[in-house]
């Protein structure tokens, strides 16, 4: 899925696959999450929001099932506690 760059203080790019109802959100940190069973209206509302980060936090995060798909190369190593 192609992600489109966005202007946001927290989000880097957003992609949507209408056929599969999947939305991908890439953060400035490099982390990427894929949201499942997202209606097109939810994606359109996010893309049209005056504050993408605020809209994401209020209307996407914790409302749709998500899986992290961050490429291994950009993931932070687990912290070691001893």
């Amino acid at each position: 899925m192609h992600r489109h760059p966005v202007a946001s203080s927290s989000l880097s790019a957003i992609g949507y696959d209408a056929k599969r109802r999947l939305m991908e959100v890439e953060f400035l940190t490099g982390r990427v999450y894929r949201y499942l069973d997202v209606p097109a209206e939810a994606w359109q509302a996010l893309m049209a929001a005056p504050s993408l980060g605020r809209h994401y936090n209020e209307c996407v995060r914790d409302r749709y099932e998500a899986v992290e798909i961050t490429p291994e190369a950009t993931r932070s190593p687990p912290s070691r506690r001893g």
Side-chain angles (χ1 to χ4, degrees), residues 24-78:
E24 290 182 1
V25 177
E26 181 177 347
F27 291 85
L28 293 176
T29 62
R31 292 208 175 279
V32 181
Y33 292 88
R34 178 174 291 156
Y35 290 85
L36 313 175
D37 200 27
V38 177
E41 297 81 13
W43 170 72
Q44 292 165 346
L46 175 60
M47 294 302 287
S51 171
L52 296 176
R54 179 177 292 136
H55 187 87
Y56 165 81
N57 285 327
E58 293 174 358
C59 301
V60 176
R61 189 182 78 183
D62 300 330
R63 292 193 183 228
Y64 299 98
E65 183 180 351
V67 292
E68 183 175 3
I69 60 167
T70 306
E72 288 295 324
T74 58
R75 289 188 187 199
S76 301

